[in-house]
Amino acid sequence: MIINHPLLGPRDSSEFVYLGDASLMNRPQWKGEEADLVKTEETIKQYHDYLYLRNNPAGEHQELWYHEQGDRSWLVVTRNTTTHNISQVQMAKDVALKTLREK
Amino acid sequence: MNQNFRISSANNSPLINRDKTMSFHFNGQIFKGHPGDTLASALLANGQKLVARSFKYHRPRGIFSAGSEEPNALMCLRKGAYQEPNVRATVAELFDGLEAFSQNHLGSLKHDLMAVNDLFSNFLTAGFYYKTFMWPKAFWEKFYEPIIRSSAGLGELSGDEDPDQYDKGFLHCDVLIIGAGPAGLAAALASAQAGSRVILADEDFEMGGRINSETFHIAKMHGSDWVKSTLAQLSSMQNVRLLKRTTVLGAYDHGIYSALERKTDHLTSSGNKPRQILWRIYSKRAILSAGATERPIAFANNDRPGIMLAGAVRSYANRWDVAAGQNVSIFTNNDDGWRTASDLVAKGVQVKTVVDTREIKPIADIPGAAIEMGAQVVDTQGRHALKSIQLSNGKQIRTDCLAVSGGWNPNVQLSCHHRGRPVWQEELLAFVAGGELPPGMIVAGAANGKLDLSSALSSGHNAARSISDELGHKGKIEACAIAEGESTNNSAFWFVKDKGKTKRSWLDFQNDVTTKDVRLAQQEGFVSVEHVKRYTTLGMATDQGKTCNVSAMAVMAENLGKTIPEIGTTIFRPPYTPVSIAAYAGRSRGKSFRPARLTPSHQWAKKAGAEFVETGTWLRAQWFTKEGENHWQESVNREVTQTRNSVGICDVSTLGKIDIQGKDAGEFLNRIYCNTLATLKVNMVRYGLMLREDGIAMDDGTTARLSDNHYLMTTTTANAVSVFRHLEFCRQCLWPDLDVHFISATEQFAQYAVAGPNSRKLLQKIVDPEFDISNEAFPFMGCRNITVAGGTPARLFRISFSGELAYEIAVATRYGNSLMEALIEAGEEFDVTSYGTEALGVMRIEKGHAAGNELTGQTTALNLGMGRMVSKKKDSIGNMLSERTAMNTDDSIRLVGFIPVDRTKVLNAGSHFVSKGRSVETKNDEGWMSSVTFSPSLNHSVGIGFIKNGHNRMGEIVLACNPLQGNLLEVEIVSSHFIDPKGERLRA
């Protein structure tokens, strides 16, 4: 596969390390010390769901790729898992900053 | 042998160079050939009909085709370490001195003792293995399996290491053209003229495809002249790369194709050049112009030497000037078969009979030949070579070669590598590429059902034009070359019906699958084409059924009363033709299998007698053998004792070092480590434990604060890469607002542990005098930028893995070897020793430090006895999920020490613990021993490990069970700190 890196252009997928569903970027917000309502079951469940309940669709999937043999960027790659067609590649940091601003 | 079957006529082939004669050996006998020959054409020229034995029945077999589809003529080439089995003689280019051997026979090729299998053919039918080797069960290992193994496979490997080199490479182009027949050449010319970067790949050593085997004219010249001038034109263009002897093997994602170039296979010696190159080709577009493969008609005893594809017989006559027989007969269901007849006559070869299954009037007048319309070949005779054929009208005809044509199948394989299925075209009686093609691919020429020359040329040309338009390449494309059209009328006739159903008609020659086997499989309930394939092994040989698949589907369809498209095809997968493992390995063999990383003082260690061990990709000194030491244990004990008594030095350069800077660096580290790092004072070091998000321990190490915004983290050697990846994930994906950056500095610094009571005294001789490293000025867990040896910058850390008063000193990599020399020299008066990873391990176990054996990806901070380190006042990775109830029960496993009750006994790592009085069963398992060592300091075996509620069970005797080695040992639970439990030495 070829991943079109936003900064470096088309790169072979063998330069990358795959992580998985991009929802791993949506880590639950730390509630601060006041939440030492000591880790209610609910908070633990939030982290549990974040870590373990991820989508694995047959079709369009947003996933994380790391350019380890390159510039060390984490990328959010939108890839169709049945055709390997890649429709969008973004810098993960840009995506994360955007999410942060929208909060 | 003489080349009695080489034809000389007024129009000799330009592709055979008769000025030069080469000799080669076949089964030890000397044969002659010419440049331009394949091994197959040369064997035929010498009249060698019998060349192989079939896989299962050991039937005598001859050359069947003239291309890569060959099912029969598999041979072993070369000798000794260079020996290569299962080479298709039809694609093996002849060279002077070539040695070829037939395979798969016991005794000589002519008198194969295994031919007895043919008599038992009624038992060796479809599913033979499944039915026969089921019982008795005990027979499998000792009896059945050895027999099957010895008869499985065809050729044999030499067992020696392949002395040749194989390489890999990358190529880029706008248009990859697969196959250099008429369509491919027309496409290449048009694409190149448009200005595209073109790669034209063809598996043959002579480009031109079928044109080389025909007598057609193109652009008013002889076909082979047109090929020559087109190739001359292409090779003069800067934007064209011609890859002959190159098979495109597979179509992968995003326009990537793999191809194998046989670089020096055709030479007597590879001369230090790579034998083969496995190319990865990146293309924007691809044109599949791989041509078509002729299919035979199945009839009784259709596998005798001398029965060949009609197109191949024509190729041997036209391209190689070889007559496949002295009086040839033709069996056809289509017009193309007649061209073989007329071409043979033109070359002066006698054609005895033309048998056409169709009830139409003869297509042409074949001088000297009897014409049998509406007839079929129903049987054949001749054990080692064809002698005669029998027709459905009762005639028996003496003939030594039967050229069979059942029509042509487009080579659609590569168009299906993305799981697209070919579609049936009734007017062609063949599958053509259809459905979902690999993106960017166009199929042209015979591969797309354009079976006549004129439309093959234009379809290649037009494919190139449309691609040039898409790519915006606007160079002037000249008009497509014109050729005369030819008739390709065809009829649906697949196999001769055997009324008595007693004789065998072969479908798959290589795996010995007959029409009977297919019928039997279907009777036994294997109806789906995929099931029939696996049950009968039809199409599963090295030729992947190139000549038989479609005919077999016709047999299945007939049996089930269905149509061929209703039967459906099996899935085509790469590679298109077999590839040797060596080509896939490329240069990744032996020492080059993966890179070896050497530490900066590797040379010093080598001279000092180090034994090296691979840790990941690093080579580290494991121990140093001194004179008089005969066993590693002696060396390790000495290294430990010298270090604990005085001073030792260990190369710890392989530890991961990550330089972290930025105003939020402290906050970042707080979130990475479960313990607090932000409060660390400048010039101090702290131990940190890193968790995974699920609360399991991930890695540990020390972090030094070099200035307000500057930290240096160390990781374990094994996890250096994955920790760095994790940090980048956290920085970019989780906390992009933090102002922090880092870079790996692992290879920038050489670092040495200097440990032992005399370590300070030793260092004071090296460290420049303006730096005070006394205990008061430079306490435990301190760090400093210093200089050594008169001004060389260095970093000094007062940290200890051994439990002794110890330091780690780091200098730039290039000074590593010199620093090691200087340290050893300065230590002479203290009886200094260098120590390796074994002594390092012994001392860390004696001290009870966790390492890789303890951080297994299953253990939590609590298990490791560091539960209280997890700060609950801040966010950190893994903080929350380490709170889960199940991970915090009272009887959680804890890291503690173990000693054998009988001190003379040796502990085993991996032993499991069971309370005394309980039976040794999984349900009573309470934990495991993770690390053990002989402690030179205590003079007995010690271990650390995990046991339920261990911290509350000090002094208890439990059983350490090791059922694998059959031992059971009483051990006492003790503190894991065997040495200096109060840590007084560290702070001395």
Side-chain angles (χ1 to χ4, degrees):
Chain A
M1 287 192 294
I2 294 172
I3 294 173
N4 201 359
H5 192 297
L7 303 178
L8 303 175
R11 317 294 310 178
D12 194 280
S13 62
S14 62
E15 295 174 9
F16 293 81
V17 171
Y18 178 76
L19 181 63
D21 190 6
S23 71
L24 280 171
M25 295 172 69
N26 310 325
R27 188 170 181 265
Q29 195 79 32
W30 167 254
K31 294 215 171 73
E33 275 179 69
E34 83 272 10
D36 66 342
L37 332 155
V38 172
K39 329 296 160 110
T40 58
E41 282 299 312
E42 195 196 331
T43 318
I44 289 176
K45 187 173 180 306
Q46 263 184 27
Y47 275 84
H48 170 275
D49 292 356
Y50 153 74
L51 189 62
Y52 296 111
L53 302 185
R54 284 178 265 155
N55 286 335
N56 181 25
E60 289 247 308
H61 186 213
Q62 290 209 314
E63 48 197 30
L64 286 163
W65 291 75
Y66 176 54
H67 200 198
E68 189 152 85
Q69 309 292 324
D71 72 340
R72 295 151 32 203
S73 293
W74 278 93
L75 304 179
V76 177
V77 176
T78 309
R79 183 179 68 108
N80 187 313
T81 55
T82 60
T83 63
H84 296 182
N85 183 49
I86 292 175
S87 50
Q88 196 184 19
V89 184
Q90 297 163 283
M91 302 291 290
K93 189 169 179 182
D94 293 346
V95 175
L97 278 172
K98 188 161 172 275
T99 315
L100 207 64
R101 275 197 300 271
E102 283 165 2
K103 260 181 197 160
Chain B
M1 297 281 277
N2 299 318
Q3 299 184 60
N4 287 337
F5 287 77
R6 188 79 70 182
I7 317 162
S8 287
S9 64
N11 48 351
N12 276 352
S13 167
L15 299 174
I16 287 288
N17 175 12
R18 298 191 191 221
D19 297 338
K20 200 177 161 213
T21 300
M22 306 189 295
S23 49
F24 67 101
H25 293 251
F26 176 65
N27 286 347
Q29 212 176 346
I30 296 173
F31 288 70
K32 301 272 192 253
H34 298 296
D37 263 326
T38 61
L39 176 54
S41 69
L43 284 169
L44 285 173
N46 287 274
Q48 182 70 34
K49 290 261 162 93
L50 172 66
V51 298
R53 287 280 173 170
S54 74
F55 175 54
K56 201 157 77 172
Y57 302 132
H58 292 256
R59 298 263 295 183
R61 290 286 165 80
I63 291 156
F64 186 66
S65 75
S68 62
E69 69 270 31
E70 177 62 30
N72 285 346
L74 302 188
M75 295 187 183
C76 198
L77 298 197
R78 298 180 162 91
K79 266 170 130 172
Y82 292 92
Q83 179 174 321
E84 188 185 0
N86 303 339
V87 178
R88 287 149 294 153
T90 49
V91 295
E93 205 171 334
L94 195 69
F95 57 83
D96 211 13
L98 170 69
E99 289 187 278
F101 303 89
S102 56
Q103 33 186 48
N104 201 41
H105 47 81
L106 199 62
S108 73
L109 173 62
K110 201 161 182 184
H111 304 286
D112 177 8
L113 300 177
M114 292 293 280
V116 70
N117 278 5
D118 202 27
L119 303 177
F120 297 114
S121 64
N122 277 343
F123 303 97
L124 292 169
T125 52
F128 166 67
Y129 279 38
Y130 306 117
K131 291 165 185 163
T132 312
F133 300 115
M134 294 297 289
W135 41 261
K137 203 178 165 195
F139 269 40
W140 178 254
E141 204 173 309
K142 293 247 156 61
F143 189 66
Y144 292 144
E145 194 183 349
I147 292 179
I148 293 172
R149 286 213 182 280
S150 74
S151 65
L154 293 163
E156 280 174 15
L157 291 164
S158 68
D160 296 330
E161 196 180 328
D162 187 342
D164 279 318
Q165 288 178 34
Y166 298 79
D167 219 334
K168 291 185 186 179
F170 299 83
L171 293 172
H172 297 260
C173 64
D174 294 321
V175 191
L176 168 67
I177 298 165
I178 303 158
L185 286 171
L189 203 53
S191 294
Q193 285 166 350
S196 307
R197 282 199 300 162
V198 175
I199 292 176
L200 176 62
D202 193 279
E203 62 179 353
D204 207 324
F205 54 91
E206 205 65 72
M207 286 193 170
R210 274 308 294 181
I211 301 175
N212 291 333
S213 294
E214 307 289 358
T215 51
F216 296 129
H217 282 67
I218 303 170
K220 296 188 177 132
M221 23 180 160
H222 190 273
S224 57
D225 291 335
W226 180 80
V227 171
K228 216 169 143 188
S229 83
T230 305
L231 287 174
Q233 204 179 337
L234 286 170
S235 45
S236 71
M237 298 169 94
Q238 293 295 314
N239 54 335
V240 178
R241 183 174 185 134
L242 300 176
L243 287 176
K244 56 183 181 179
R245 301 189 179 94
T246 303
T247 309
V248 177
L249 303 166
Y252 300 88
D253 293 309
H254 305 161
I256 300 172
Y257 289 81
S258 69
L260 184 76
E261 183 177 9
R262 289 166 294 276
K263 205 77 186 164
T264 58
D265 273 5
H266 61 293
L267 302 177
T268 311
S269 157
S270 58
N272 272 335
K273 296 231 172 67
R275 181 87 180 264
Q276 299 174 347
I277 300 175
L278 190 63
W279 293 109
R280 184 186 286 207
I281 302 175
Y282 296 80
S283 70
K284 292 200 180 106
R285 296 288 189 278
I287 297 175
L288 178 65
S289 45
T293 300
E294 198 171 16
R295 61 193 177 221
I297 299 169
F299 51 89
N301 290 311
N302 59 337
D303 67 329
R304 300 195 191 281
I307 302 179
M308 300 169 69
L309 289 172
V313 172
R314 190 157 84 232
S315 294
Y316 286 118
N318 287 332
R319 174 174 170 180
W320 286 288
D321 286 342
V322 170
Q326 281 171 322
N327 45 74
V328 182
S329 294
I330 315 281
F331 181 30
T332 183
N333 64 2
N334 64 76
D335 293 0
D336 190 71
W338 288 77
R339 221 167 49 243
T340 300
S342 50
D343 281 8
L344 287 176
V345 171
K347 278 274 181 183
V349 180
Q350 193 205 335
V351 176
K352 189 106 186 230
T353 326
V354 178
V355 184
D356 193 323
T357 58
R358 298 173 294 179
E359 304 273 3
I360 51 169
K361 70 176 181 17
I363 307 297
D365 180 33
I366 308 295
I371 310 290
E372 304 281 352
M373 299 306 294
Q376 301 163 16
V377 176
V378 293
D379 202 357
T380 69
Q381 288 80 33
R383 177 85 189 137
H384 292 131
L386 181 69
K387 288 202 175 88
S388 61
I389 57 172
Q390 248 168 307
L391 303 189
S392 52
N393 55 21
K395 289 184 189 165
Q396 176 136 1
I397 295 157
R398 289 196 70 79
T399 186
D400 65 347
C401 173
L402 180 62
V404 185
S405 179
W408 293 76
N409 294 323
N411 291 330
V412 297
Q413 286 88 341
L414 267 83
S415 75
C416 303
H417 283 179
H418 287 198
R419 286 184 87 92
R421 300 297 181 111
V423 292
W424 180 256
Q425 265 194 20
E426 191 59 38
E427 63 273 28
L428 283 175
L429 293 167
F431 285 99
V432 297
E436 261 186 64
L437 297 181
M441 179 191 279
I442 296 183
V443 188
N448 200 28
K450 306 287 183 283
L451 292 174
D452 68 291
L453 179 58
S454 151
S455 45
L457 286 166
S458 59
S459 83
H461 180 86
N462 292 338
R465 267 189 190 276
S466 72
I467 283 174
S468 309
D469 287 348
E470 278 175 40
L471 296 177
H473 296 159
K474 295 190 166 45
K476 190 180 164 352
I477 300 175
E478 287 166 22
C480 179
I482 307 284
E484 65 224 275
E486 78 271 18
S487 150
T488 57
N489 284 335
N490 201 353
S491 71
F493 187 89
W494 305 96
F495 57 96
V496 176
K497 293 191 185 66
D498 170 20
K499 298 211 175 63
K501 294 192 176 175
T502 51
K503 292 185 174 132
R504 286 171 294 167
S505 307
W506 266 262
L507 288 166
D508 186 326
F509 288 79
Q510 197 168 122
N511 266 356
D512 269 337
V513 182
T514 65
T515 53
K516 245 169 139 179
D517 292 316
V518 171
R519 216 174 289 134
L520 182 67
Q522 290 183 315
Q523 278 166 14
E524 293 183 1
F526 297 89
V527 174
S528 143
V529 60
E530 296 281 4
H531 289 162
V532 173
K533 169 182 164 178
R534 282 157 184 79
Y535 193 58
T536 62
T537 71
L538 181 118
M540 286 168 67
T542 64
D543 62 340
Q544 295 179 62
K546 286 191 175 65
T547 54
C548 73
N549 280 341
V550 178
S551 313
M553 281 173 223
V555 175
M556 291 178 219
E558 167 96 10
N559 292 345
L560 296 174
K562 288 184 172 175
T563 62
I564 293 176
E566 280 172 336
I567 293 292
T569 57
T570 54
I571 296 170
F572 296 109
R573 295 183 178 87
Y576 178 67
T577 50
V579 184
S580 69
I581 298 290
Y584 282 118
R587 289 177 183 263
S588 302
R589 307 200 314 193
K591 276 203 160 163
S592 306
F593 183 68
R594 62 176 188 181
R597 300 168 84 185
L598 305 181
T599 69
S601 52
H602 183 83
Q603 293 313 321
W604 180 90
K606 214 169 151 182
K607 266 188 258 166
E611 283 294 324
F612 292 98
V613 60
E614 286 180 25
T615 54
T617 47
W618 288 102
L619 281 185
R620 295 187 74 179
Q622 198 170 8
W623 66 83
F624 296 83
T625 308
K626 290 271 178 275
E627 229 180 280
E629 291 171 351
N630 300 315
H631 190 270
W632 65 270
Q633 186 82 56
E634 284 178 59
S635 310
V636 171
N637 290 352
R638 173 188 51 75
E639 288 170 15
V640 171
T641 311
Q642 264 175 281
T643 302
R644 292 224 185 274
N645 289 344
S646 178
V647 60
I649 296 166
C650 183
D651 183 351
V652 293
S653 305
T654 62
L655 290 180
K657 309 176 201 78
I658 302 173
D659 193 282
I660 302 172
Q661 302 192 40
K663 78 176 163 47
D664 293 327
E667 172 61 20
F668 180 77
L669 287 168
N670 254 0
R671 299 188 195 179
I672 291 293
Y673 283 116
C674 70
N675 52 319
T676 307
L677 261 291
T679 55
L680 179 63
K681 292 195 170 61
V682 173
N683 286 341
M684 291 301 283
V685 182
R686 189 172 289 173
Y687 173 81
L689 179 67
M690 213 178 270
L691 304 181
R692 308 191 311 212
E693 192 67 275
D694 61 3
I696 300 286
M698 173 178 172
D699 199 58
D700 67 348
T702 58
T703 294
R705 189 166 193 175
L706 301 174
S707 74
D708 275 351
N709 298 334
H710 187 186
Y711 291 80
L712 183 71
M713 172 194 283
T714 61
T715 73
T716 59
T717 301
N719 291 335
V721 172
S722 56
V723 166
F724 193 87
R725 186 187 305 153
H726 172 67
L727 297 191
E728 286 288 11
F729 171 78
C730 294
R731 179 178 76 88
Q732 296 175 41
C733 300
L734 301 183
W735 310 309
D737 52 329
L738 292 187
D739 180 4
V740 58
H741 287 274
F742 32 84
I743 194 160
S744 167
T746 306
E747 296 197 333
Q748 277 61 41
F749 291 94
Q751 193 156 319
Y752 300 91
V754 183
N758 283 325
S759 56
R760 183 184 296 125
K761 283 186 205 151
L762 189 157
L763 280 169
Q764 275 165 338
K765 293 177 68 181
I766 294 278
V767 174
D768 290 338
E770 60 265 38
F771 298 99
D772 183 0
I773 59 168
S774 67
N775 198 27
E776 298 70 39
F778 193 62
F780 180 56
M781 296 306 257
C783 74
R784 265 329 115 75
N785 278 313
I786 55 161
T787 60
V788 294
T792 304
R795 283 172 182 161
L796 189 63
F797 311 87
R798 190 169 161 191
I799 51 180
S800 174
F801 197 44
S802 57
E804 297 298 325
L805 165 66
Y807 300 81
E808 285 186 17
I809 182 167
V811 291
T813 296
R814 62 186 180 280
Y815 300 130
N817 208 58
S818 313
L819 178 66
M820 191 65 194
E821 283 169 2
L823 286 169
I824 294 293
E825 198 187 312
E828 256 171 42
E829 61 175 290
F830 308 110
D831 188 27
V832 68
T833 181
S834 54
Y835 65 94
T837 54
E838 282 299 325
L840 181 86
V842 170
M843 289 191 276
R844 74 101 190 161
I845 297 169
E846 287 180 337
K847 183 62 186 170
H849 281 311
N853 288 7
E854 285 70 43
L855 280 79
T856 57
Q858 297 173 293
T859 51
T860 64
L862 184 78
N863 300 149
L864 291 162
M866 297 189 269
R868 274 181 299 177
M869 273 178 74
V870 186
S871 165
K872 296 302 169 188
K873 293 185 177 165
K874 64 174 180 81
D875 185 14
S876 69
I877 299 286
N879 191 328
M880 194 62 71
L881 288 179
S882 68
E883 295 282 314
R884 284 180 286 177
T885 324
M887 286 159 71
N888 292 279
T889 55
D890 286 341
D891 66 346
S892 307
I893 51 167
R894 295 299 185 107
L895 184 65
V896 288
F898 298 90
I899 49 174
V901 171
D902 175 354
R903 299 284 194 270
T904 62
K905 293 278 197 266
V906 176
L907 300 174
N908 291 108
S911 299
H912 278 249
F913 300 120
V914 172
S915 283
K916 273 187 85 170
R918 296 260 183 95
S919 59
V920 179
E921 283 179 90
T922 309
K923 65 173 184 185
N924 293 329
D925 183 13
E926 295 187 42
W928 70 95
M929 189 92 79
S930 52
S931 301
V932 299
T933 183
F934 173 77
S935 164
S937 318
L938 301 174
N939 203 27
H940 61 77
S941 188
V942 300
I944 58 176
F946 299 92
I947 189 167
K948 282 179 181 175
N949 199 20
H951 59 308
N952 291 324
R953 295 167 70 175
M954 292 298 151
E956 188 182 326
I957 310 287
V958 294
L959 295 174
C961 321
N962 187 347
L964 272 181
Q965 286 167 12
N967 57 31
L968 202 64
L969 214 57
E970 287 195 337
V971 296
E972 183 184 342
I973 301 177
V974 295
S975 157
S976 60
H977 308 298
F978 298 96
I979 294 284
D980 187 28
K982 289 184 184 156
E984 286 161 349
R985 297 185 192 180
L986 306 168
R987 296 177 174 81

